[in-house]
mmCIF file with all atom_site columns, all heavy atoms in Angstrom:
data_model
loop_
_atom_site.group_PDB
_atom_site.id
_atom_site.type_symbol
_atom_site.label_atom_id
_atom_site.label_alt_id
_atom_site.label_comp_id
_atom_site.label_asym_id
_atom_site.label_entity_id
_atom_site.label_seq_id
_atom_site.pdbx_PDB_ins_code
_atom_site.Cartn_x
_atom_site.Cartn_y
_atom_site.Cartn_z
_atom_site.occupancy
_atom_site.B_iso_or_equiv
_atom_site.pdbx_formal_charge
_atom_site.auth_seq_id
_atom_site.auth_comp_id
_atom_site.auth_asym_id
_atom_site.auth_atom_id
_atom_site.pdbx_PDB_model_num
ATOM   1   N  N   . HIS B 1 101 ? 58.699 36.300 54.649 1.00 98.00 ? 979  HIS B N   1
ATOM   2   C  CA  . HIS B 1 101 ? 58.239 36.393 53.299 1.00 98.00 ? 979  HIS B CA  1
ATOM   3   C  C   . HIS B 1 101 ? 56.955 35.630 53.149 1.00 98.00 ? 979  HIS B C   1
ATOM   4   O  O   . HIS B 1 101 ? 57.045 34.502 53.584 1.00 98.00 ? 979  HIS B O   1
ATOM   5   C  CB  . HIS B 1 101 ? 59.329 35.861 52.372 1.00 98.00 ? 979  HIS B CB  1
ATOM   6   C  CG  . HIS B 1 101 ? 60.607 36.657 52.364 1.00 98.00 ? 979  HIS B CG  1
ATOM   7   N  ND1 . HIS B 1 101 ? 61.728 36.231 51.643 1.00 98.00 ? 979  HIS B ND1 1
ATOM   8   C  CD2 . HIS B 1 101 ? 61.028 37.734 53.050 1.00 98.00 ? 979  HIS B CD2 1
ATOM   9   C  CE1 . HIS B 1 101 ? 62.679 36.999 51.903 1.00 98.00 ? 979  HIS B CE1 1
ATOM   10  N  NE2 . HIS B 1 101 ? 62.285 38.024 52.707 1.00 98.00 ? 979  HIS B NE2 1
ATOM   11  N  N   . GLU B 1 137 ? 56.364 40.552 55.100 1.00 98.00 ? 1015 GLU B N   1
ATOM   12  C  CA  . GLU B 1 137 ? 57.241 41.566 54.379 1.00 98.00 ? 1015 GLU B CA  1
ATOM   13  C  C   . GLU B 1 137 ? 56.587 41.618 52.950 1.00 98.00 ? 1015 GLU B C   1
ATOM   14  O  O   . GLU B 1 137 ? 56.337 40.644 52.291 1.00 98.00 ? 1015 GLU B O   1
ATOM   15  C  CB  . GLU B 1 137 ? 58.645 40.959 54.226 1.00 98.00 ? 1015 GLU B CB  1
ATOM   16  C  CG  . GLU B 1 137 ? 59.535 41.940 53.398 1.00 98.00 ? 1015 GLU B CG  1
ATOM   17  C  CD  . GLU B 1 137 ? 61.033 41.577 53.414 1.00 98.00 ? 1015 GLU B CD  1
ATOM   18  O  OE1 . GLU B 1 137 ? 61.382 40.590 54.053 1.00 98.00 ? 1015 GLU B OE1 1
ATOM   19  O  OE2 . GLU B 1 137 ? 61.722 42.222 52.736 1.00 98.00 ? 1015 GLU B OE2 1
ATOM   20  N  N   . ASN B 1 138 ? 56.427 42.865 52.544 1.00 98.00 ? 1016 ASN B N   1
ATOM   21  C  CA  . ASN B 1 138 ? 55.938 43.146 51.121 1.00 98.00 ? 1016 ASN B CA  1
ATOM   22  C  C   . ASN B 1 138 ? 56.941 42.625 50.200 1.00 98.00 ? 1016 ASN B C   1
ATOM   23  O  O   . ASN B 1 138 ? 58.166 42.725 50.378 1.00 98.00 ? 1016 ASN B O   1
ATOM   24  C  CB  . ASN B 1 138 ? 55.596 44.584 50.873 1.00 98.00 ? 1016 ASN B CB  1
ATOM   25  C  CG  . ASN B 1 138 ? 56.792 45.506 51.053 1.00 98.00 ? 1016 ASN B CG  1
ATOM   26  O  OD1 . ASN B 1 138 ? 57.517 45.416 51.955 1.00 98.00 ? 1016 ASN B OD1 1
ATOM   27  N  ND2 . ASN B 1 138 ? 57.076 46.356 49.989 1.00 98.00 ? 1016 ASN B ND2 1
ATOM   28  N  N   . ALA B 1 140 ? 58.449 42.014 46.001 1.00 98.00 ? 1018 ALA B N   1
ATOM   29  C  CA  . ALA B 1 140 ? 58.623 42.629 44.756 1.00 98.00 ? 1018 ALA B CA  1
ATOM   30  C  C   . ALA B 1 140 ? 57.623 42.025 43.720 1.00 98.00 ? 1018 ALA B C   1
ATOM   31  O  O   . ALA B 1 140 ? 57.342 42.579 42.616 1.00 98.00 ? 1018 ALA B O   1
ATOM   32  C  CB  . ALA B 1 140 ? 60.032 42.602 44.200 1.00 98.00 ? 1018 ALA B CB  1
ATOM   33  N  N   . ASP B 1 171 ? 59.437 46.919 52.873 1.00 98.00 ? 1049 ASP B N   1
ATOM   34  C  CA  . ASP B 1 171 ? 60.683 47.018 52.157 1.00 98.00 ? 1049 ASP B CA  1
ATOM   35  C  C   . ASP B 1 171 ? 60.557 48.058 51.042 1.00 98.00 ? 1049 ASP B C   1
ATOM   36  O  O   . ASP B 1 171 ? 59.727 47.783 50.159 1.00 98.00 ? 1049 ASP B O   1
ATOM   37  C  CB  . ASP B 1 171 ? 61.020 45.622 51.726 1.00 98.00 ? 1049 ASP B CB  1
ATOM   38  C  CG  . ASP B 1 171 ? 62.511 45.609 51.066 1.00 98.00 ? 1049 ASP B CG  1
ATOM   39  O  OD1 . ASP B 1 171 ? 62.756 46.390 50.216 1.00 98.00 ? 1049 ASP B OD1 1
ATOM   40  O  OD2 . ASP B 1 171 ? 63.244 44.690 51.560 1.00 98.00 ? 1049 ASP B OD2 1
ATOM   41  N  N   . CYS B 1 173 ? 62.594 48.804 48.679 1.00 98.00 ? 1051 CYS B N   1
ATOM   42  C  CA  . CYS B 1 173 ? 63.024 48.335 47.280 1.00 98.00 ? 1051 CYS B CA  1
ATOM   43  C  C   . CYS B 1 173 ? 61.900 47.469 46.749 1.00 98.00 ? 1051 CYS B C   1
ATOM   44  O  O   . CYS B 1 173 ? 61.555 47.547 45.559 1.00 98.00 ? 1051 CYS B O   1
ATOM   45  C  CB  . CYS B 1 173 ? 64.300 47.537 47.530 1.00 98.00 ? 1051 CYS B CB  1
ATOM   46  S  SG  . CYS B 1 173 ? 64.666 46.467 46.037 1.00 98.00 ? 1051 CYS B SG  1
ATOM   47  N  N   . HIS B 1 174 ? 61.322 46.593 47.567 1.00 98.00 ? 1052 HIS B N   1
ATOM   48  C  CA  . HIS B 1 174 ? 60.360 45.631 47.030 1.00 98.00 ? 1052 HIS B CA  1
ATOM   49  C  C   . HIS B 1 174 ? 59.051 46.496 46.643 1.00 98.00 ? 1052 HIS B C   1
ATOM   50  O  O   . HIS B 1 174 ? 58.410 46.184 45.582 1.00 98.00 ? 1052 HIS B O   1
ATOM   51  C  CB  . HIS B 1 174 ? 59.853 44.690 48.111 1.00 98.00 ? 1052 HIS B CB  1
ATOM   52  C  CG  . HIS B 1 174 ? 61.010 43.787 48.511 1.00 98.00 ? 1052 HIS B CG  1
ATOM   53  N  ND1 . HIS B 1 174 ? 60.953 42.872 49.515 1.00 98.00 ? 1052 HIS B ND1 1
ATOM   54  C  CD2 . HIS B 1 174 ? 62.252 43.674 48.118 1.00 98.00 ? 1052 HIS B CD2 1
ATOM   55  C  CE1 . HIS B 1 174 ? 62.052 42.247 49.709 1.00 98.00 ? 1052 HIS B CE1 1
ATOM   56  N  NE2 . HIS B 1 174 ? 62.909 42.690 48.854 1.00 98.00 ? 1052 HIS B NE2 1
ATOM   57  N  N   . HIS B 1 208 ? 62.533 47.860 55.858 1.00 98.00 ? 1086 HIS B N   1
ATOM   58  C  CA  . HIS B 1 208 ? 63.746 47.535 55.259 1.00 98.00 ? 1086 HIS B CA  1
ATOM   59  C  C   . HIS B 1 208 ? 64.013 48.753 54.242 1.00 98.00 ? 1086 HIS B C   1
ATOM   60  O  O   . HIS B 1 208 ? 63.333 48.959 53.312 1.00 98.00 ? 1086 HIS B O   1
ATOM   61  C  CB  . HIS B 1 208 ? 63.675 46.262 54.488 1.00 98.00 ? 1086 HIS B CB  1
ATOM   62  C  CG  . HIS B 1 208 ? 63.606 45.029 55.358 1.00 98.00 ? 1086 HIS B CG  1
ATOM   63  N  ND1 . HIS B 1 208 ? 63.260 43.780 54.857 1.00 98.00 ? 1086 HIS B ND1 1
ATOM   64  C  CD2 . HIS B 1 208 ? 63.947 44.909 56.635 1.00 98.00 ? 1086 HIS B CD2 1
ATOM   65  C  CE1 . HIS B 1 208 ? 63.366 42.892 55.842 1.00 98.00 ? 1086 HIS B CE1 1
ATOM   66  N  NE2 . HIS B 1 208 ? 63.720 43.556 56.918 1.00 98.00 ? 1086 HIS B NE2 1
ATOM   67  N  N   . ASN B 1 210 ? 66.065 49.972 51.618 1.00 97.00 ? 1088 ASN B N   1
ATOM   68  C  CA  . ASN B 1 210 ? 66.888 49.544 50.557 1.00 97.00 ? 1088 ASN B CA  1
ATOM   69  C  C   . ASN B 1 210 ? 66.553 50.276 49.313 1.00 97.00 ? 1088 ASN B C   1
ATOM   70  O  O   . ASN B 1 210 ? 65.468 50.571 49.022 1.00 97.00 ? 1088 ASN B O   1
ATOM   71  C  CB  . ASN B 1 210 ? 66.709 48.050 50.204 1.00 97.00 ? 1088 ASN B CB  1
ATOM   72  C  CG  . ASN B 1 210 ? 66.905 47.145 51.435 1.00 97.00 ? 1088 ASN B CG  1
ATOM   73  O  OD1 . ASN B 1 210 ? 68.005 47.302 52.048 1.00 97.00 ? 1088 ASN B OD1 1
ATOM   74  N  ND2 . ASN B 1 210 ? 66.042 46.176 51.675 1.00 97.00 ? 1088 ASN B ND2 1
ATOM   75  N  N   . ASP B 1 221 ? 63.600 42.007 42.379 1.00 95.00 ? 1099 ASP B N   1
ATOM   76  C  CA  . ASP B 1 221 ? 64.135 42.214 43.854 1.00 95.00 ? 1099 ASP B CA  1
ATOM   77  C  C   . ASP B 1 221 ? 65.640 42.355 43.780 1.00 95.00 ? 1099 ASP B C   1
ATOM   78  O  O   . ASP B 1 221 ? 66.350 41.434 43.986 1.00 95.00 ? 1099 ASP B O   1
ATOM   79  C  CB  . ASP B 1 221 ? 63.675 41.054 44.661 1.00 95.00 ? 1099 ASP B CB  1
ATOM   80  C  CG  . ASP B 1 221 ? 64.158 41.290 46.112 1.00 95.00 ? 1099 ASP B CG  1
ATOM   81  O  OD1 . ASP B 1 221 ? 64.698 42.324 46.458 1.00 95.00 ? 1099 ASP B OD1 1
ATOM   82  O  OD2 . ASP B 1 221 ? 63.918 40.313 46.871 1.00 95.00 ? 1099 ASP B OD2 1
ATOM   83  N  N   . ARG B 1 222 ? 66.143 43.588 43.462 1.00 95.00 ? 1100 ARG B N   1
ATOM   84  C  CA  . ARG B 1 222 ? 67.578 43.736 43.438 1.00 95.00 ? 1100 ARG B CA  1
ATOM   85  C  C   . ARG B 1 222 ? 67.952 45.016 44.284 1.00 95.00 ? 1100 ARG B C   1
ATOM   86  O  O   . ARG B 1 222 ? 67.591 46.135 43.900 1.00 95.00 ? 1100 ARG B O   1
ATOM   87  C  CB  . ARG B 1 222 ? 67.983 44.056 41.977 1.00 95.00 ? 1100 ARG B CB  1
ATOM   88  C  CG  . ARG B 1 222 ? 67.798 42.947 41.042 1.00 95.00 ? 1100 ARG B CG  1
ATOM   89  C  CD  . ARG B 1 222 ? 68.964 41.908 41.095 1.00 95.00 ? 1100 ARG B CD  1
ATOM   90  N  NE  . ARG B 1 222 ? 70.208 42.519 41.031 1.00 95.00 ? 1100 ARG B NE  1
ATOM   91  C  CZ  . ARG B 1 222 ? 70.799 42.990 39.919 1.00 95.00 ? 1100 ARG B CZ  1
ATOM   92  N  NH1 . ARG B 1 222 ? 70.208 42.936 38.712 1.00 95.00 ? 1100 ARG B NH1 1
ATOM   93  N  NH2 . ARG B 1 222 ? 71.922 43.566 39.893 1.00 95.00 ? 1100 ARG B NH2 1
ATOM   94  N  N   . HIS B 1 223 ? 68.385 44.786 45.485 1.00 95.00 ? 1101 HIS B N   1
ATOM   95  C  CA  . HIS B 1 223 ? 68.738 45.900 46.331 1.00 95.00 ? 1101 HIS B CA  1
ATOM   96  C  C   . HIS B 1 223 ? 69.904 46.702 45.883 1.00 95.00 ? 1101 HIS B C   1
ATOM   97  O  O   . HIS B 1 223 ? 70.919 46.129 45.348 1.00 95.00 ? 1101 HIS B O   1
ATOM   98  C  CB  . HIS B 1 223 ? 69.139 45.325 47.763 1.00 95.00 ? 1101 HIS B CB  1
ATOM   99  C  CG  . HIS B 1 223 ? 68.034 44.640 48.490 1.00 95.00 ? 1101 HIS B CG  1
ATOM   100 N  ND1 . HIS B 1 223 ? 68.156 44.143 49.704 1.00 95.00 ? 1101 HIS B ND1 1
ATOM   101 C  CD2 . HIS B 1 223 ? 66.758 44.305 47.994 1.00 95.00 ? 1101 HIS B CD2 1
ATOM   102 C  CE1 . HIS B 1 223 ? 66.967 43.533 50.150 1.00 95.00 ? 1101 HIS B CE1 1
ATOM   103 N  NE2 . HIS B 1 223 ? 66.169 43.561 49.091 1.00 95.00 ? 1101 HIS B NE2 1
ATOM   104 N  N   . GLU B 1 253 ? 69.570 46.639 54.475 1.00 95.00 ? 1131 GLU B N   1
ATOM   105 C  CA  . GLU B 1 253 ? 69.941 45.266 54.002 1.00 95.00 ? 1131 GLU B CA  1
ATOM   106 C  C   . GLU B 1 253 ? 70.771 45.206 52.738 1.00 95.00 ? 1131 GLU B C   1
ATOM   107 O  O   . GLU B 1 253 ? 70.793 44.183 52.154 1.00 95.00 ? 1131 GLU B O   1
ATOM   108 C  CB  . GLU B 1 253 ? 68.606 44.517 53.718 1.00 95.00 ? 1131 GLU B CB  1
ATOM   109 C  CG  . GLU B 1 253 ? 67.790 44.080 54.874 1.00 95.00 ? 1131 GLU B CG  1
ATOM   110 C  CD  . GLU B 1 253 ? 66.642 43.212 54.373 1.00 95.00 ? 1131 GLU B CD  1
ATOM   111 O  OE1 . GLU B 1 253 ? 66.013 43.582 53.377 1.00 95.00 ? 1131 GLU B OE1 1
ATOM   112 O  OE2 . GLU B 1 253 ? 66.294 42.176 55.015 1.00 95.00 ? 1131 GLU B OE2 1
HETATM 113 ZN ZN1 . ZN  W 2 .   ? 64.723 42.158 48.795 1.00 57.29 ? 2507 ZN  W ZN1 1
#
Side-chain angles (χ1 to χ4, degrees):
H979 295 176
E1015 178 175 358
N1016 64 309
D1049 186 306
C1051 167
H1052 300 174
H1086 285 167
N1088 302 310
D1099 180 6
R1100 296 275 313 281
H1101 297 185
E1131 282 185 320

